[in-house]
Amino acid sequence: VPFQIANAGRFYYVNDGSRTGDEYTTAVGSNANDGKTPGTPMASLAALLRAYDLDVNDVIFVDTGVYNLSTNIVLNAQDSGVTIRGPVLPGNDAVLDRGNTSSGQYVFSFEGASGVTLEWLNVTGGSVGINATGAQGNDGVVLQNLDIYGNAGYGVTITNGHSDWIIR
């Protein structure tokens, strides 16, 4: 599994292949970048999550654009306490599009991550947009200012064993 060696810090950046409407980054995204500065954003949120062992209070800024996802974005225990934030200005959207509405295809799959905040993102194109049905302990999750639409089954699925979710 590839990994990144980069400066310590708590801010990470993702951008698509365009600078149009960008709020956080100053360059287009590339997974060859380290994702640690506005000038070196990665192109994929999933790749950034795989590359780093994130800590509580780390923030991933996902800039304006459409992100076509080939896999579920998996949030596990090592991602606990992370905030994933899209653009906040009106008309600027970070669209996370799973592009596959078959069973088991999710935009976000919670697999043991607690204290995660997802905000200012568009979540679409999966069988379920945000799924917490498997691994226990996805507690204290905050979903705020999200647009969740166009998923085949449900926007959000949370089953027993996951507590203290806040949806605003």
Side-chain angles (χ1 to χ4, degrees):
V1 175
F3 64 95
Q4 296 280 353
I5 298 174
N7 60 310
R10 55 181 291 255
F11 300 117
Y12 300 83
Y13 300 87
V14 175
N15 196 15
D16 65 349
S18 168
R19 295 270 336 280
T20 303
D22 287 349
E23 294 181 25
Y24 304 123
T25 59
T26 59
V28 297
S30 169
N31 286 341
N33 290 341
D34 65 14
K36 295 289 290 179
T37 71
T40 59
M42 292 183 75
S44 163
L45 176 57
L48 189 139
L49 288 165
R50 285 190 301 266
Y52 291 105
D53 178 4
L54 301 175
D55 296 314
V56 172
N57 296 322
D58 284 348
V59 179
I60 302 170
F61 295 98
V62 181
D63 223 331
T64 302
V66 176
Y67 300 87
N68 295 308
L69 309 174
S70 59
T71 61
N72 300 342
I73 298 171
V74 176
L75 298 169
N76 56 37
Q78 80 172 17
D79 304 314
S80 291
V82 168
T83 295
I84 302 173
R85 177 178 298 143
V88 299
L89 294 177
N92 291 351
D93 294 312
V95 179
L96 303 173
D97 187 349
R98 185 64 179 88
N100 186 343
T101 58
S102 299
S103 179
Q105 307 306 305
Y106 314 125
V107 177
F108 286 99
S109 180
F110 277 81
E111 298 181 14
S114 293
V116 170
T117 298
L118 302 179
E119 58 188 7
W120 301 104
L121 300 165
N122 290 20
V123 177
T124 189
S127 63
V128 174
I130 299 170
N131 187 70
T133 60
Q136 302 298 303
N138 297 293
D139 302 323
V141 173
V142 177
L143 308 177
Q144 59 189 8
N145 300 306
L146 299 175
D147 286 330
I148 304 172
Y149 57 92
N151 297 290
Y154 300 98
V156 178
T157 301
I158 309 164
T159 57
N160 292 336
H162 313 289
S163 63
D164 302 317
W165 282 55
I166 298 172
I167 301 174
R168 295 184 202 139

